[in-house]
Amino acid sequence: MAGHHTHAHDHGGHSHGGHDHGGHGHGHAHAPAAFDRAFAIGIALNIVFVGVEAGFGFVAHSVALLADAGHNLSDVLGLAIAWGGATLARRAATKRFTYGLKGSTILAALLNALFLLVALGAIILEAAQRLAAPAPVAGATVSIVAAVGIVVNLATALLFARGRKHDINIRGAFLHMAADAAVSAGVVIVGGIILFTGMTWLDPAVSIVIALLIIWHTWGLLRESVEMSLAAVPRAIDYDAVGAALQALPGVTRIHDLHIWPMSTTETVLTTHLLMPAGHPGDGFLMETQAMLRARFGIGHATVQVETSECAVDC
């Protein structure tokens, strides 16, 4: 990827560009890899749980348990999508995909947000039907299995908790598991109340409330992943602050064509033109500018074009 910087500094720039990207890529290649174990453990835990839950559902003739097993199977799919995105993002760049497949993390986050909304829609639909025609709730068994579900889902969610702030693909996986833990917790608490009071309508009512709360949380994930798909400036970066920082560089009279967009859910690209009438300041200036953008804004892939006359801009 060294060539990414070539027009920014024509001579001797290649070695720097290669080193620069190697160093940057290196730091990020291991960040998602750190979650490989989390994905593997999460998927294994959930597959075992789905098997056990479906088994109990068949034996106890419980539609609720079978439905929940189906829902937990959707978690496995959600984790697989996020893992697939993180894995594809580590593929090397090619002549066709010059950034590699880093954007697959954005696609995975988008898919997971959509997928989670569909799953929650299904829960609300099912609950609404049960409100209209309340079904008997098998209290004890359902509560016990759901309690195990809380442990499995919470344990899996915690595996991704530390990554959710910086990577919306990891946040998608985290939300999926946390959402399920919340639904299971609702089932357990309500199961207990129903055993004592016989208010069966509480079960679907609570499901709807929890699902609506989760939809509210998922909305942010959907909005942010759609923005990233459309190459919007990442929310963590202030476009005006970046512009001001570039404008303040010594010798720069004005900047134009500033573009900032996400290459993946964790890496950002910038291109800009700097007008420097005093002449090209040399490679050192370009390296310092790239270092400043990385340190202050976390932008690791910057390409800067220096122009020495107003004419280059206007004519």
Side-chain angles (χ1 to χ4, degrees), residues 12 16 38 41 52 55 59 66 70 89 99 121 124 158-160 208 212 220 242-243 246 269 279-280 282 290 312:
H16 164 70
I41 293 167
V52 171
V59 173
L66 285 174
Y99 281 134
I124 291 174
L158 287 173
L159 294 172
F160 299 106
I208 290 175
L212 288 173
V242 176
L246 290 167
V269 188
H280 195 296
Q290 286 165 351

Side-chain angles (χ1 to χ4, degrees), residues 74-130:
S74 85
D75 286 349
V76 175
L77 189 56
L79 289 172
I81 289 171
W83 194 7
T87 305
L88 285 173
R90 298 204 292 271
R91 294 277 287 276
T94 65
K95 285 181 186 176
R96 167 143 239 146
F97 296 98
T98 56
Y99 281 134
L101 297 175
K102 293 183 189 295
S104 50
T105 51
I106 297 172
L107 285 181
L110 180 59
L111 274 174
N112 249 328
L114 289 170
F115 185 47
L116 196 48
L117 289 173
V118 169
L120 291 165
I123 289 178
I124 291 174
L125 190 66
E126 190 196 342
Q129 288 165 350
R130 293 218 316 273

Side-chain angles (χ1 to χ4, degrees), residues 242 245-246 270 288-300 302 304:
V242 176
L246 290 167
L270 172 148
E288 280 162 30
T289 301
Q290 286 165 351
M292 179 275 289
L293 288 168
R294 187 180 303 114
R296 278 184 60 183
F297 303 104
I299 298 170
V304 175

Side-chain angles (χ1 to χ4, degrees), residues 198-213:
M199 293 191 288
T200 48
W201 60 268
L202 260 178
D203 183 44
V206 169
S207 294
I208 290 175
V209 171
I210 294 172
L212 288 173
L213 279 173

Side-chain angles (χ1 to χ4, degrees), residues 33 60 80 101 124 169 179 182 193 199 218-220 227 248 275 289:
L101 297 175
I124 291 174
N169 183 37
I193 296 171
M199 293 191 288
T218 308
W219 194 248
E227 285 173 357
L275 180 63
T289 301

Side-chain angles (χ1 to χ4, degrees), residues 41 87 119 128 149 211 214 272 306:
I41 293 167
T87 305
I214 298 163
T272 189
V306 172

